[in-house]
Amino acid sequence: MSNEKRLKIAIQKSGRLAEQSLKLLEKSGITLAKSRDQLLCRAENFPLDIFLVRDDDIPAFLATDVCQLGILGQNALLEKQALGNGKFADLRQVLPLGYGKCRLSMAVPHDFPYQSLASLEGKVIATSYRGLLSDYLTANNIKADIVTMEGAVEVAPRTHLADVICDLVSTGSTLISNGLVEKDVILRSEAVLVSNNIADEQIAALAEKVTSRIKSVLLAKNSRYVMLNSPTDSLAAIKAVLPGSQSPAVMPRQGRDDIVAVHAVCEEGVFWDTMEELKANGAKSILVMPIEKMLD
Ligand code: PRP
Ligand code: ZN
């Protein structure tokens, strides 16, 4: 057991993705042995070690093969790839994870006369995303000066460090409280599972297993188990209303030939209007239940 090979995954230690990334691993059946104040956590029940690091550093952990998998924002990965001179070219986005959604946007002070991107010609733009911004400006034929800042980009216009900014926007409240207005969206981003090229077969198999578990967790999270009674003669209409379900199970009810029971896994949200539509088509006793685990 002692020389058993272990997969290494890097996730954000603290910040916008940290909590949910850890939760996702836990839901995938990976139990952590140590407190998360440490850089390295060992999984108790899976040959996996978790590195808790700054998300900016995750691409380097992957590129140097200290870790083989990482969870980070697409923004952070693409920025490293934009700046990296090919150093990060082998890192692959394996699976979008549906959380940590944000966008990288241009934002200007209220009184800035913004008409189009061309209004930024010759201006000074503050950002933590020099790589993505300069690619975007080049692609749009705009020449501007870029001032790189590590954080607190939103204060740059007020302190006359820059005319406008290019920064991450999530809820938009940082922009509002700094008197800035969002303009062009340069990139939409969410958390993503990233892999390097895994040469070792055993490690690759472990990575495949973790990836497939995460896929299952995401699928289960978005899916619902629906049970209802359908009048036999409106079964076709009811099946058509069930969202994202392939071939539901249809079962007879004892002593009734006017109704059947329908059970279906719906791989989409089941909202009130869907339930009302089912009811309008004659469905009765409609139950919608969460699914804990799902493996195809
Ligand atoms: C980002 C961004 C803004 C804020 C936007 O910062 O730089 O400051 O989030 O979020 P909002 O639209 O919900 O207000 P982050 O939290 O990543 O920290 P940092 O700028 O200090 O790196
Ligand atoms: Zn910020």
Side-chain angles (χ1 to χ4, degrees):
M1 277 306 267
S2 59
N3 56 11
E4 161 197 64
K5 287 186 181 162
R6 297 179 70 83
L7 172 68
K8 312 263 197 311
I9 180 168
I11 67 173
Q12 196 187 35
K13 185 184 174 72
S14 59
R16 58 177 70 235
L17 306 180
E19 204 66 43
Q20 278 170 286
S21 301
L22 207 56
K23 225 189 260 164
L24 184 59
L25 292 177
E26 280 165 1
K27 281 203 176 144
S28 306
I30 290 155
T31 316
L32 301 190
K34 286 195 181 130
S35 92
R36 43 182 162 122
D37 298 334
Q38 330 221 348
L39 166 70
L40 184 73
C41 283
R42 245 176 111 79
E44 282 176 333
N45 57 349
F46 198 94
L48 171 75
D49 294 324
I50 301 172
F51 283 67
L52 297 158
V53 298
R54 289 189 50 223
D55 63 351
D56 275 359
D57 293 332
I58 295 177
F61 275 77
L62 292 167
T64 53
D65 203 36
V66 173
C67 294
Q68 295 78 42
L69 291 181
I71 295 179
L72 72 161
Q74 289 167 316
N75 56 299
L77 175 67
L78 294 172
E79 172 64 11
K80 292 287 176 190
Q81 289 181 325
L83 282 177
N85 279 324
K87 193 175 157 204
F88 302 105
D90 284 349
L91 304 188
R92 226 164 21 91
Q93 300 192 32
V94 180
L95 192 64
L97 300 173
Y99 61 91
K101 290 198 175 162
C102 61
R103 47 202 190 269
L104 181 64
S105 295
M106 307 294 320
V108 308
H110 276 295
D111 54 3
F112 186 96
Y114 187 93
Q115 245 125 45
S116 70
L117 208 57
S119 312
L120 300 181
E121 183 72 31
K123 300 296 182 199
V124 181
I125 310 174
T127 190
S128 311
Y129 292 85
R130 169 180 287 274
L132 291 170
L133 175 59
S134 68
D135 285 356
Y136 185 77
L137 294 174
T138 306
N140 286 283
N141 243 326
I142 307 282
K143 287 200 176 56
D145 287 328
I146 300 177
V147 176
T148 307
M149 295 175 72
E150 291 287 333
V153 176
E154 57 276 3
V155 303
R158 238 188 308 142
T159 55
H160 306 292
L161 256 164
D163 300 303
V164 305
I165 68 168
C166 169
D167 198 14
L168 292 186
V169 183
S170 168
T171 60
S173 67
T174 301
L175 291 187
I176 291 171
S177 55
N178 286 280
L180 299 167
V181 187
E182 185 176 3
K183 296 295 180 187
D184 302 63
V185 176
I186 292 185
L187 175 82
R188 291 186 188 277
S189 170
E190 64 186 271
V192 66
L193 181 69
V194 177
S195 167
N196 67 8
N197 280 329
I198 307 177
D200 185 286
E201 264 178 40
Q202 278 179 48
I203 299 285
L206 291 173
E208 190 50 51
K209 195 163 175 181
V210 169
T211 305
S212 130
R213 284 199 192 179
I214 291 177
K215 260 188 210 159
S216 298
V217 171
L218 298 178
L219 194 61
K221 189 176 148 206
N222 296 323
S223 300
R224 295 291 178 271
Y225 194 78
V226 177
M227 304 199 302
L228 55 84
N229 288 329
S230 164
T232 314
D233 51 13
S234 45
L235 183 59
I238 281 174
K239 276 197 204 164
V241 177
L242 285 170
S245 82
Q246 305 133 359
S247 48
V250 178
M251 290 154 286
R253 310 278 329 216
Q254 215 163 25
R256 300 280 301 260
D257 48 16
D258 56 330
I259 58 168
V260 288
V262 177
H263 290 199
V265 172
C266 295
E267 292 182 357
E268 284 167 35
V270 180
F271 301 104
W272 281 108
D273 47 5
T274 306
M275 295 179 67
E276 284 152 7
E277 212 181 328
L278 289 167
K279 190 175 169 195
N281 279 287
K284 294 249 162 32
S285 309
I286 308 168
L287 292 182
V288 179
M289 286 162 292
I291 294 173
E292 194 186 277
K293 290 191 180 64
M294 215 168 140
L295 195 61
D296 262 337

